[in-house]
Amino acid sequence: MYRRIMPGLCGLTLLAAGVVSVQSGDARPDNVAMAAAQPAALSEAQIAAAAGATTPFVTVEAESGTLGGGARVRSLTPGAAPPTRATLEGEASGYALVELKANGDSVTLTNNTGKNANSLVVRASIPDAAGGGGINATLNLYVNGVFRQAIALSSQQAWNYRGATTNPDDPRAGGVAYRFYNEFPLRVTGAAIAPGSTIQLKKDAGNTTAVYDIDSVDLENVGAALAQPANSISVVSNGADPNFQRDSTVAIQDTVNAARSQGKSVWIPQGKYLTNSLVSRPLDFTGVKVQGAGMWYTTLYRKVPLPANSWRSQIVVGTKTTLTDLQIDTNAVWRGIGGTGGSDYGVNTGGTGWLIDRLWTRHIDANWLSGTDGILQNSRTADSYGDGYNINNGNTPNADKLGLNITVRNSFARNTGDDSFATYSDAGPTGKNGQVSGAKILNNTAVAPWWANGIRVAGGKNVEVRNNVVNSVSSNNALELSVFGDSGHPLESVAVTGNVLQGGGGWNGVRHGVHIGSTGSTSQFPNAFTNVTMSDNILRGSLTAGLSIDRTRVNVTLTNNTIDRPAKQGIWINSGVTGTGKFTGNKIQNLFPGQVAQRNDSPDTFKITG
């Protein structure tokens, strides 16, 4: 397993500027005596070493490779005005990519993992079809300069159009393009790629699309498929088809029902299982342990009959359910739960004491995590149309959907269509939904969400966000700490510690590295305070301000945080903010010319001490 630590933003050269300590409302350096009296901070190296998910793969950014032919790097320029619309650079991890346009263009990477790599995940973008719907193409893979295989790429599940008047997949209906990338997992043919070997992606004559935009490559050495556990029932024994020819929905559900009644577990052997039966309800795994042969070996593929209409394909995980070691993929093409684009939740949890472990979800909507005392861990999600992982109360007063003490840990999300990791505490129209409490977002990695935030805490109490990595947010903030609309419960308390937050401040309005907000005047809770504690975090390379506070009634404690190289202010308290700020031992460094470490536009109503 590898600790997933993302390097600094590509092209971000840190200046040799002095460190600035934030003091009560101005940007003057502290004297040595004051600095010595502050609590000892963790070093940036210590914070980075503990942050992020430990994954079985290592990501190599394409822009770090060697370019061949006329290949070029495209990237956002640090300190430049942020994009006002989605771009390929803005949606790339590290805000940079390699463009291959002419035959002979290539990028060469080296396997420096110290291990063999028998599997790759290539994150890339190719153009849409003129009328929408995507195209298919190949790109050639060379190992140590010798052709190994053609990689099949597609844009059929990319290129949506925000605001299109017909459907989100129609480029001719007045919408603005976003969601450019997709991931392409492949098993390497022939021998595994040995340590020190080169991996070259090259456009040859047979690779016929106009341009290939390469973001990154994951290198992984996948072990053998798991064996069937004792006291389990195989879905194949009930008629499920691992060869992706016949629908397996009913056979899988029949196996789960039998295992539940017999006190056994369910085994889904190696294979790809088609689930496109128009049954009235989604698969329900409640009360049973369901295990596959591994994320690379067992896939439940939802081939929703498109255009779909209220067709549900999620998997229900209820009280005392365990779901492990498989992949869920789907042919969905745009967002909308049970809607015409085929999207639906990956898993929808409830009840108590559930566990999800080593689950890979692709092209789904959110993984919707409700209930009490549930854990999701060691998982990955990619190319979603909604949140990666959302801890919530089900938007209902239902006792099975309370959102109490749910933990998401050591998981990886990339290219999500909403917040990569979120808590969502909604009171509902009558205010009767319970408050999400005890949510924990721990040691996760969020990379390049194409919509919304890297991490969002939308209301709740006793929330913990610790030791996570966020890298390169396209549209919104790296971290959002606030409430959700007028029906959102207040954010009573959240502790944010040891996170590395890179980028943020995207094209969707005024956004920042970190944004802290509160309820508005029309909220069901108009007098509630937002209470935030942030300590030992690194905020690096925001496209706008490093940290922004707005709205009224905000109490913020900032201790030993580092804000590095924001494009605008280090900390910005907007006009009209009320509350308090206790700022101690924070560093704001490597500012661009003309920018200030701290700007308080509410000096009479938001008092800063420290």
Side-chain angles (χ1 to χ4, degrees):
M1 301 288 279
Y2 299 91
R3 171 65 68 187
R4 172 86 184 186
I5 300 298
M6 305 301 292
L9 296 176
C10 178
L12 184 64
T13 303
L14 298 183
L15 303 179
V19 170
V20 178
S21 255
V22 175
Q23 275 186 244
S24 308
D26 63 34
R28 293 172 296 177
D30 279 342
N31 59 38
V32 174
M34 285 191 66
Q38 293 170 345
L42 294 175
S43 70
E44 290 189 38
Q46 288 173 313
I47 295 169
T54 300
T55 65
F57 57 88
V58 170
T59 299
V60 182
E61 297 292 339
E63 63 270 17
S64 71
T66 301
L67 305 184
R72 64 170 183 149
V73 172
R74 292 173 49 183
S75 63
L76 296 185
T77 302
T84 57
R85 61 194 294 170
T87 64
L88 282 155
E89 295 91 338
E91 288 190 11
S93 57
Y95 294 140
L97 62 111
V98 171
E99 179 184 83
L100 312 179
K101 295 188 74 172
N103 291 344
D105 288 358
S106 67
V107 58
T108 301
L109 310 170
T110 302
N111 178 6
N112 288 325
T113 66
K115 296 185 178 182
N116 289 330
N118 61 17
S119 303
L120 304 176
V121 176
V122 177
R123 185 171 192 252
S125 175
I126 61 174
D128 195 6
I135 63 173
N136 298 309
T138 61
L139 181 65
N140 285 347
L141 169 66
Y142 292 77
V143 177
N144 293 327
V146 178
F147 174 78
R148 182 65 67 90
Q149 67 196 88
I151 304 170
L153 307 180
S154 175
S155 57
Q156 291 180 339
Q157 291 178 292
W159 291 88
N160 286 172
Y161 299 87
R162 187 168 185 249
T165 57
T166 54
N167 67 68
D169 209 27
D170 186 352
R172 301 162 298 185
V176 179
Y178 61 174
R179 200 183 192 280
F180 304 114
Y181 291 92
N182 208 340
E183 297 191 1
F184 303 96
L186 66 137
R187 301 302 296 265
V188 175
T189 60
I193 302 171
S197 298
T198 60
I199 302 163
Q200 184 182 66
L201 302 177
K202 184 179 179 184
K203 175 174 164 49
D204 289 323
N207 309 134
T208 55
T209 195
V211 59
Y212 297 81
D213 294 305
I214 313 301
D215 180 37
S216 62
V217 179
D218 297 342
L219 285 70
E220 183 173 355
N221 195 45
V222 177
L226 300 176
Q228 181 173 355
N231 200 36
S232 64
I233 306 174
S234 171
V235 297
V236 174
S237 68
N238 279 302
D241 178 14
N243 298 311
F244 202 60
Q245 299 299 309
R246 304 186 312 275
D247 179 77
S248 296
T249 310
V250 174
I252 293 171
Q253 187 64 63
D254 286 348
T255 308
V256 171
N257 296 343
R260 187 185 297 118
S261 65
Q262 297 174 36
K264 296 183 177 182
S265 65
V266 171
W267 168 243
I268 308 181
Q270 180 175 347
K272 186 175 182 181
Y273 298 83
L274 176 64
T275 58
N276 73 339
S277 172
L278 295 176
V279 295
S280 59
R281 292 179 296 180
L283 289 169
D284 187 346
F285 292 173
T286 297
V288 174
K289 179 177 181 180
V290 178
Q291 180 179 343
M295 288 190 286
W296 282 86
Y297 292 103
T298 297
T299 299
L300 302 183
Y301 190 90
R302 305 169 177 169
K303 193 173 182 181
V304 179
L306 298 177
N309 185 14
S310 300
W311 191 89
R312 305 312 300 266
S313 60
Q314 62 187 253
I315 291 177
V316 174
V317 173
T319 294
K320 297 192 181 304
T321 306
T322 298
L323 177 62
T324 70
D325 298 297
L326 56 81
Q327 181 182 150
I328 300 170
D329 197 0
T330 177
N331 68 326
V333 292
W334 64 73
R335 187 172 187 175
I337 302 296
T340 55
S343 184
D344 202 347
Y345 297 137
V347 291
N348 187 352
T349 72
T352 63
W354 48 263
L355 172 65
I356 298 171
D357 196 5
R358 298 182 299 277
L359 176 69
W360 191 356
T361 51
R362 304 176 59 224
H363 307 114
I364 61 164
D365 203 274
N367 289 294
W368 195 247
L369 308 176
S370 308
T372 301
D373 297 327
I375 297 173
L376 182 143
Q377 63 186 13
N378 307 322
S379 296
R380 61 181 92 167
T381 192
D383 301 328
S384 70
Y385 298 97
D387 300 303
Y389 303 100
N390 186 306
I391 299 170
N392 60 81
N393 59 8
N395 299 349
T396 173
N398 187 334
D400 278 344
K401 298 282 187 176
L402 293 177
L404 302 179
N405 304 317
I406 295 175
T407 298
V408 177
R409 63 192 181 201
N410 200 55
S411 294
F412 179 89
R414 184 165 51 197
N415 202 37
T416 57
D418 213 316
D419 309 311
S420 297
F421 297 87
T423 69
Y424 173 33
S425 185
D426 182 48
T430 62
K432 294 181 179 179
N433 299 349
Q435 172 74 297
V436 171
S437 179
K440 291 180 173 60
I441 301 173
L442 311 175
N443 282 101
N444 302 292
T445 297
V447 178
W450 56 272
W451 176 247
N453 309 281
I455 299 174
R456 180 174 189 177
V457 179
K461 60 183 178 181
N462 301 323
V463 179
E464 184 178 359
V465 179
R466 175 164 51 87
N467 295 355
N468 302 283
V469 166
V470 174
N471 179 21
S472 311
V473 174
S474 174
S475 67
N476 286 22
N477 314 288
L479 173 64
E480 169 79 19
L481 304 169
S482 60
V483 298
F484 192 93
D486 287 349
S487 62
H489 277 293
L491 180 50
E492 294 186 23
S493 54
V494 58
V496 180
T497 307
N499 302 281
V500 178
L501 309 172
Q502 302 185 106
W507 55 264
N508 185 30
V510 181
R511 307 290 178 166
H512 304 282
V514 175
H515 172 253
I516 300 173
S518 63
T519 60
S521 60
T522 57
S523 167
Q524 294 183 29
F525 310 92
N527 299 314
F529 272 79
T530 289
N531 299 295
V532 172
T533 299
M534 292 185 63
S535 60
D536 293 299
N537 302 283
I538 300 171
L539 288 57
R540 179 174 289 130
S542 171
L543 303 179
T544 51
L547 184 149
S548 174
I549 302 172
D550 69 7
R551 308 290 279 267
T552 57
R553 302 174 308 281
V554 179
N555 294 323
V556 179
T557 299
L558 302 178
T559 306
N560 297 336
N561 301 285
T562 297
I563 300 177
D564 185 34
R565 195 69 161 162
K568 293 188 176 181
Q569 309 93 337
I571 298 174
W572 178 27
I573 296 92
N574 288 254
S575 177
V577 178
T578 61
T580 61
K582 183 177 181 181
F583 298 173
T584 306
N586 303 289
K587 294 187 299 182
I588 301 175
Q589 61 192 24
N590 300 316
L591 292 169
F592 283 92
Q595 299 300 334
V596 296
Q598 181 172 295
R599 173 177 166 180
N600 187 355
D601 289 340
S602 302
D604 297 328
T605 56
F606 188 82
K607 299 296 183 180
I608 300 173
T609 61

